[in-house]
């Protein structure tokens, strides 16, 4: 092995032998390991409840490093967010790597540090993992899968079936930041005010919300497909219509400029640190003020409401007074955003 | 979209929009969906215990279809096995797909059917999932990640720390079948007696063992790195030596022929349906007979024992009466075996 080789991932790092053990012991364990320094094939957990929430997501974001985060932070926060918006407290994460031969170990270390930091900041442990290697060209650098286990420790029951006529829709902040950051970076476009992904953990905010607010019916993080996809999913599943006001939807002006320039509808753009909340009308203001007190929800806004209608549609009152149907995006716009 | 396109995965299938919803609703849900036909971002589970086991594995096996299984069966059984050998009862699986653009939907369907069947046969539910798409050439067809949750419902406590001087080592059947099947298929080598992977679930066997045998100290499925890696891990972690007898290790003759022809040591070759059991000497015969009654353990054999020594080594008495150290494989031999 030449010196150059020793700085890079080899196929042999996934072989289950001495070299994989070294990678795990020297590179992965010091960063992700549990307090005991262990990261076994499986982890035994003693939870405070037998009512758990279980989720998984693979991450194929391109580029691996972006303004506001990287694939490591994204993978951990994304899985935390899936648990959080389902009304759970995130407890444990399993992290699995598919690494291409030739990938720089220094980059892997940065990514693992960033995953570990995101987990630590949320009181979540990375308890088990897996490492696979593939030939050069067979994984575009690195893919990460994170699976997560949380416990359902709140009284509030969430679900599409809880949503009723008159419920208000809240978004926890500006939309489109993650997707437009990734796309602008990929296209090599720079703005005076730099774009920054909103990639971050929603759990501290959802914890505040579920602890201090009654009346929350449903939460969802509008990732791929953006706000448009999430609202359409809600309308369809609840069989109710949703009316939103464009003027009430917070959008960072640079994000809007980037979307206009690249020809995207900001409603369709992925977010990685935002939550859509459906809440009963009498609790909407309280819920909004809980959001606004929190860093992750400081730009929160009530953007519309749910109502009975013949067809379950999402309709938007535009800034200039018109109205348009917000459709479920078809799906072609933004590859490899998360 | 041309007709040809409609039979293949597009980047847009991962976009979070209508097309992804269609793929999930038409292709994935009918195969993997829970009884309710749901496969959400996260799954709420009511377990019988708050003592859980949590694991993850990514699968990058090449080719995707092989004699005895495919990546779908392998992914589900592999995760079941990780839970089973840790002394848990597998309950739920999260299945995540990374699919390359252009991948045939018919092949995806076959793979999902096979994953679903493996889950069903083991009483395990696939409860949540994720679908990502990447450009042609960025994932070599398809990668699957499975994460699993099991409950710890047996009295026996397993661990390296339970292993003691005099304990016996059992292997549940012939070694090297999976790895040699994959390698022969990849090299295009055919034998009169065809090679078949041992890819399968160990859970029914470990359930029998943990229910009916006392004295089991440790179990591990010898996957990547084969029996050599597993025995070396045990010796190192328990700080004890292991002596094995080559003559007692069951090997399918065709597997041995393939290994000899391709220049592999069968001890280093991956298995996907075998378990190494460390058991106290007084219970070893009972444990062996429980194995032998079961289809997955019919060729089980006591292959050696653990003993105190100055250095924690694995030593093998060869068929011709010599002795050799069985080293931890370095790691280069078999890429993309699982």
């Amino acid at each position: 092995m030449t010196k150059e080789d020793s700085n890079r991932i080899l196929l042999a790092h996934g072989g289950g032998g001495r070299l994989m053990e070294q990678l795990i012991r020297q590179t992965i364990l010091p960063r992700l390991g549990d307090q005991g320094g262990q990261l076994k094939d499986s982890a035994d957990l003693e939870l405070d409840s037998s009512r758990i929430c279980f989720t998984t997501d693979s991450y194929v974001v391109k580029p691996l490093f972006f303004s506001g985060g990287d694939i490591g932070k994204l993978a951990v926060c994304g899985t935390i967010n899936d648990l959080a918006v389902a009304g759970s407290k995130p407890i444990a994460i399993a992290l699995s790597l598919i690494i291409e031969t030739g990938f720089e170990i220094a980059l892997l270390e940065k990514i693992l540090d960033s995953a570990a930091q995101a987990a630590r900041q949320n009181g979540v442990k990375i308890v088990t993992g897996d490492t696979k290697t593939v030939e050069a060209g067979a994984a575009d650098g690195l893919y990460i899968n994170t699976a997560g286990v949380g416990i359902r420790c709140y009284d509030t029951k969430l679900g599409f079936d809880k949503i009723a006529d008159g419920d208000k829709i809240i978004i926890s902040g500006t939309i489109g930041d993650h997707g437009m950051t990734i796309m602008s970076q990929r296209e090599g476009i720079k703005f005076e005010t730099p774009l920054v992904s909103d990639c971050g953990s929603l759990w501290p905010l959802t914890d505040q919300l579920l602890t201090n607010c009654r009346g929350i019916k449903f939460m969802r993080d509008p990732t791929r497909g953006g706000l448009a996809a999430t609202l359409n999913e809600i309308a369809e599943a609840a069989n109710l219509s949703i009316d939103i006001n464009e003027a009430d939807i917070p959008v960072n002006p640079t994000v809007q400029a980037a979307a206009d320039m690249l020809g995207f509808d900001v409603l369709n753009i992925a977010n990685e640190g935002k939550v859509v909340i459906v809440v009963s009308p009498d609790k909407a203001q309280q819920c909004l003020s809980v959001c606004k007190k929190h860093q992750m929800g400081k730009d929160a806004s009530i953007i519309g409401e749910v109502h009975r209608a013949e067809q379950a549609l999402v309709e938007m009152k535009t800034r200039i007074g018109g109205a348009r149907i917000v459709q479920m995006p078809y799906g072609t716009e933004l590859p490899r955003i998360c």
Side-chain angles (χ1 to χ4, degrees), chain A:
Chain A
M1 201 167 20
T2 64
K3 183 159 181 298
E4 173 65 2
D5 278 355
S6 74
N7 299 326
R8 294 186 181 270
I9 292 292
L10 309 171
L11 257 189
H13 277 116
R18 189 61 72 195
L19 214 56
M20 182 164 107
E21 193 206 322
Q22 270 173 23
L23 180 74
I24 293 174
R25 205 179 291 260
Q26 291 169 13
T27 305
I28 300 178
L29 269 186
R31 292 177 169 81
L32 302 187
D34 209 347
Q35 289 136 328
Q38 294 219 316
L39 202 67
K40 299 189 295 180
D41 279 354
S42 64
D44 286 336
L45 303 175
E46 293 268 1
L47 303 178
D48 290 333
S49 168
S50 59
R51 296 171 59 235
I52 72 162
C53 186
F54 183 31
T55 189
T56 188
D57 266 309
S58 290
Y59 292 87
V60 298
V61 66
K62 184 180 187 172
L64 297 174
F65 296 85
F66 49 85
S67 169
D70 59 39
I71 191 172
K73 180 184 180 187
L74 184 68
V76 168
C77 289
T79 284
I80 287 174
N81 291 351
D82 275 353
L83 296 171
V85 299
S88 293
K89 176 186 174 178
I91 301 289
I93 282 181
L95 189 144
S96 176
L97 303 164
I98 299 176
I99 321 173
E100 187 178 291
T101 311
F103 194 74
E104 273 184 59
I105 292 179
L107 292 185
L108 179 63
E109 288 173 345
K110 273 182 81 169
I111 289 165
L112 294 175
D113 281 336
S114 157
Q117 189 186 20
R120 224 172 14 246
Q121 284 170 346
N122 286 279
V124 172
K125 289 218 167 73
I126 298 174
V127 294
T128 183
D130 178 49
T131 306
K132 292 290 190 302
T133 53
V134 294
E135 304 86 339
D140 203 4
L142 170 74
Y143 299 146
I144 295 184
N145 177 281
T146 43
V149 167
I151 54 171
R152 291 183 283 146
C153 56
Y154 304 99
D155 294 333
T156 311
K157 298 267 173 295
L158 304 171
F160 289 124
D161 57 319
K162 305 281 184 295
I163 301 172
D165 187 42
D167 283 350
K168 298 289 184 187
I169 310 272
I170 293 174
I171 178 85
S172 63
T174 55
I175 64 167
D177 300 75
H178 177 72
M180 287 325 304
T181 303
I182 298 288
M183 287 312 288
S184 302
Q185 210 166 314
R186 228 187 273 164
E187 303 285 330
I189 301 168
K190 289 215 172 84
F191 296 89
E192 245 176 74
T193 319
L195 287 171
V196 181
S197 164
D198 57 339
C199 172
S201 164
L202 289 165
W203 181 67
L205 175 59
T206 61
D207 183 41
Q208 286 296 311
L209 285 166
L210 291 171
T211 307
N212 299 313
C213 285
R214 298 285 154 256
I216 297 179
K217 311 291 193 77
F218 183 80
M219 298 193 291
R220 174 67 57 91
D221 50 336
T223 55
R224 283 181 290 175
L227 185 61
T230 297
L231 294 181
N232 272 282
E233 263 184 85
I234 294 173
E236 209 164 299
N239 198 27
L240 290 161
S241 271
I242 293 176
D243 281 346
I244 54 172
N245 287 308
E246 190 175 20
D248 295 329
I249 301 172
V251 185
N252 175 328
T254 317
V255 168
Q256 188 65 62
D260 292 344
M261 182 183 293
L262 295 168
F264 292 117
D265 181 346
V266 77
L267 291 174
N268 296 350
I269 305 299
N271 310 277
E272 288 292 344
K274 297 293 154 33
V275 54
V276 171
I277 306 156
V278 185
V279 58
S280 63
D282 55 318
K283 303 293 184 197
Q285 280 302 332
Q286 188 205 351
C287 183
L288 184 68
S289 74
V290 170
C291 283
K292 282 178 169 296
K293 271 183 215 147
H294 199 282
Q295 177 58 26
M296 287 297 279
K298 63 181 169 43
D299 298 321
S301 170
I302 299 175
I303 59 169
E305 66 176 51
V306 172
H307 64 86
R308 258 194 296 274
E310 292 227 341
Q311 262 197 299
L313 293 175
V314 180
E315 202 169 6
M316 182 165 78
K317 213 169 102 191
T318 63
R319 230 174 262 278
I320 53 165
R324 75 165 170 101
I325 303 298
V326 176
Q327 280 193 290
M328 184 71 154
Y330 188 67
T332 46
E333 298 198 349
L334 296 163
R336 313 265 313 259
I337 216 72
C338 62

